Structures are given as C-alpha cells and as structure tokens.
Amino acid sequence: MTEPYTVLHGGFHKTASTFLQKSLQRNKGRLKKGGVYYVPHRDLRKKFTVPCQQNAYQAIGVKRKTVISDAELQKMTSAFFQPVLRDKPQRLVLSDENLAGHCGNCVKTGQLYRYRGAFMASFAKSTPYPVREIYLSVRNYADFFAAAYVEYFRSLQEDSSQITTTQIMRTRLFNHMPGWNGVINVVSRHFPDAQIYVWRFEDFVADETMAPALLQRLIGHTVDVQTFDAPRGNSKRQSASARAMAELELLAVTEGLPSLVAQRQDIQNRYPRNAQNGRFDPWMPWERAHLDRLYVDDIERLGTNKAVTLLDPAMLHGANTLP
C-alpha cells in the first residue's frame, strides 16, 4: 500500500480547534470521495491519544490507574488504523489538541504541557505513517493560561487530588516562564520529517478568512473547502465570567470539591459573561504586560526557526498556494 500523505493538527488548546474539527467532521463524506480520510477527533483521542499518553506515563514512572504496556499499545493502535489501511486514502488528516497534554497540566505546574516530551514521543512512535505536515496555533500567554484555568475548573471532580488556585498558578508560571518555542521544538524533534505551520490565534479571530484558508491547507487540493457545509450548532463555548470564577474558586476552597461540582453549572449560568460580570482575567497589570511582551518576542523567534512556517492572513491569501 502507498502510504497516505499524513497531516496532523495538534491544537493547541483554546485556539478554535473545535471549529476546525467540527468543519472536518461535518464534511467527512465529501472528503472521503476526494481521497481524504479524516479521523474524528473524539475517536482519535479515545482510541489513540489517550492510550499513547497512558503508555507514556508508565515510561516516565508516573503512577496512573490505567497502565498500558508497549505491546498492548501496539496492538491497540494497529487495530485503530485498520480502517485507514482498508480505505487506502491519498491523504490522512489527524486532529487532537491534546497532542502535547491537557489544560490541567499547564495550570497545576505553570508550564506549557509538563509531559509534552513523553506524550509526543509516544504519539509519534505509534503513528504508522510519517507525518508530513503539522499545524499548530499559539495564543498570548496571559489569555491562554486564563482560558486553560477555566477549563481546568470545569473539569475538576469530587475525587480530584487538590485545588490549584489562581494565585498558585500565577506563582508557578512566573517561576517557570512559558515559551511556545520550547513546545514547538519538542514537536520538531519527535516529528523530524514534518514541516510545521504555526499561526497566531489572535490573527484567526481578527480575520474570518483564515478559517477556510487553514482548512484548505489541512485537506489539500482534491476537495474545495468552498463546497463545505457549515458545522452544525455553535462550536464556540462561552468562557466563564470573572464573577463566576470568583464564586467557584471561593466555593472550592471553603466548602470543597463536592460542593463545587454540585453547584458549578448553576453558578456559571447565574453569572454569565457580560458587562456586569466581567471577563475572567487573573493577572495583575504588570504580569499581563510582561506576558504580552514575552509573547511578542517569542513570535519573532519562531520566525527564525527553519522548521517552522508562520502563517498570517497576508501569507495565506497572497501566496494562495497549497502544500
């Protein structure tokens, strides 16, 4: 069998990955007719990404309830890719923003994906085809960690081991200092045959033409993205307000996780994000200013990385070429 030209979209979190995934999922049949096989991201996560990460935890000595050996992982991933073998597509598109880890990893440690190296190593070695292109979106550090904190609080369960407050997250972040360059260098190391394409989430939000242009690059030239049906429903979930997050954090600290879990949705509904309840922003003005400057500097550094191509609206529409 001729190997499919494999493309990976790896997030990162809170950068409109859901919109891209829903667009691809809605048009899965149309893509298949054009020789493009899209693996639904929920299937990829459940049957591939999660087993890879459970195997990675074992490799680095982190104890988890579920343990997957190398032999078990090989068997699971082989079975997962059997439909691709049968279909024999020209192009394979994979998408999962959990490639490097989870929002909780970032919040609890103040780092961009604490286990990124182990997770990506396991994902890469278990992918049966060489990944030729990788697409990633980055976001301003202050906004990324604020959004990640909301997701972390939404995911807390009654039996979660501990609560990381905004103060703890801020302290740990400034002890480590985040850097997208470090994360992307890890991607490059574990996917050495891939050309990496990166865009700023801020550009994506400001220019509505970026979404179809990026989708076109993901799927290649055999299907015209202009023929796509729009994804069903609203793919954007409203972020929590400042008032809601203050109430949730207070509840978690004073009454515990069972009370938080029981009242979490009601509190978010009671205090929606609006002019009165405000936008959640855990940073002091000087902290945000520092993180903003760091982000600008890091984007400039990314532009000097030979393994990375920065995508912006001018490039996407000026060149108008497909890989």
Side-chain angles (χ1 to χ4, degrees):
M1 170 191 171
T2 302
E3 293 179 339
Y5 189 90
T6 301
V7 177
L8 171 62
H9 166 245
F12 297 102
H13 289 98
K14 315 312 299 177
T15 59
S17 295
T18 300
F19 172 80
L20 298 175
Q21 290 159 348
K22 284 190 173 183
S23 297
L24 294 167
Q25 174 64 24
R26 179 74 193 279
N27 295 277
K28 188 171 181 285
R30 181 178 282 109
L31 290 171
K32 187 174 182 179
K33 291 178 182 178
V36 181
Y37 193 108
Y38 170 65
V39 179
H41 80 278
R42 294 188 186 279
D43 291 344
L44 181 68
R45 181 172 303 170
K46 181 179 180 180
K47 299 176 182 178
F48 186 73
T49 307
V50 169
C52 286
Q53 293 178 353
Q54 289 169 333
N55 173 260
Y57 280 127
Q58 176 183 274
I60 58 177
V62 176
K63 293 184 178 180
R64 306 288 289 186
K65 292 179 181 179
T66 303
V67 177
I68 295 180
S69 68
D70 290 348
E72 290 172 316
L73 180 62
Q74 184 177 13
K75 183 177 179 180
M76 294 171 71
T77 56
S78 178
F80 178 71
F81 281 100
Q82 279 302 311
V84 180
L85 284 169
R86 290 194 299 267
D87 203 66
K88 299 180 181 179
Q90 299 174 29
R91 192 178 186 95
L92 174 64
V93 180
L94 308 173
S95 177
D96 188 357
E97 63 272 33
N98 280 6
L99 168 70
H102 319 103
C103 287
N105 299 149
C106 302
V107 168
K108 293 175 185 177
T109 65
Q111 303 174 61
L112 285 171
Y113 305 111
R114 178 182 183 184
Y115 302 116
R116 63 201 188 204
F119 285 175
M120 286 190 225
S122 184
F123 192 106
K125 77 177 183 181
S126 301
T127 305
Y129 315 111
V131 176
R132 301 301 186 187
E133 298 173 26
I134 299 178
Y135 289 84
L136 303 166
S137 180
V138 298
R139 186 173 182 176
N140 171 291
Y141 297 122
D143 292 335
F144 172 83
F145 274 90
Y149 191 82
V150 172
E151 289 305 308
Y152 159 73
F153 240 72
R154 285 172 169 170
S155 69
L156 284 170
Q157 300 300 316
E158 292 186 17
D159 60 351
S160 295
S161 59
Q162 61 184 3
I163 301 168
T164 299
T165 64
T166 51
Q167 182 177 353
I168 292 172
M169 178 186 72
R170 287 162 49 205
T171 299
R172 290 176 177 170
L173 182 145
F174 277 92
N175 283 337
H176 292 289
M177 296 308 301
W180 288 121
N181 288 275
V183 180
I184 292 169
N185 285 339
V186 174
V187 176
S188 180
R189 183 163 68 248
H190 291 295
F191 297 92
D193 298 323
Q195 176 62 37
I196 301 172
Y197 298 92
V198 178
W199 66 95
R200 296 170 65 251
F201 173 69
E202 294 78 13
D203 289 336
F204 184 92
V205 172
D207 190 328
E208 63 181 13
T209 64
M210 280 195 73
L214 289 167
L215 284 168
Q216 191 69 73
R217 294 186 72 95
L218 284 170
I219 66 174
H221 65 275
T222 60
V223 180
D224 185 352
V225 76
Q226 297 302 325
T227 66
F228 268 25
D229 294 324
R232 293 187 177 92
N234 183 6
S235 61
K236 182 179 180 181
R237 180 165 64 160
Q238 184 67 43
S239 184
S241 69
R243 176 68 185 277
M245 290 304 297
E247 295 288 339
L248 290 171
E249 190 170 87
L250 178 64
L251 183 64
V253 171
T254 58
E255 298 187 25
L257 288 172
S259 294
L260 169 70
V261 172
Q263 301 179 53
R264 179 167 48 201
Q265 192 58 54
D266 178 63
I267 289 173
Q268 291 179 86
N269 293 339
R270 195 185 316 156
Y271 303 113
R273 182 173 164 179
N274 54 30
Q276 181 179 358
N277 295 320
R279 170 177 175 263
F280 175 63
D281 186 349
W283 310 105
M284 298 290 289
W286 71 266
E287 292 174 329
R288 174 169 280 279
H290 183 75
L291 293 172
D292 287 350
R293 181 68 255 172
L294 181 64
Y295 181 58
V296 171
D297 291 344
D298 284 353
I299 292 297
E300 290 182 3
R301 285 176 56 207
L302 268 179
T304 67
N305 188 331
K306 294 182 180 180
V308 174
T309 299
L310 288 176
L311 300 175
D312 58 28
M315 178 184 178
L316 284 170
H317 307 308
N320 195 29
T321 58
L322 293 172

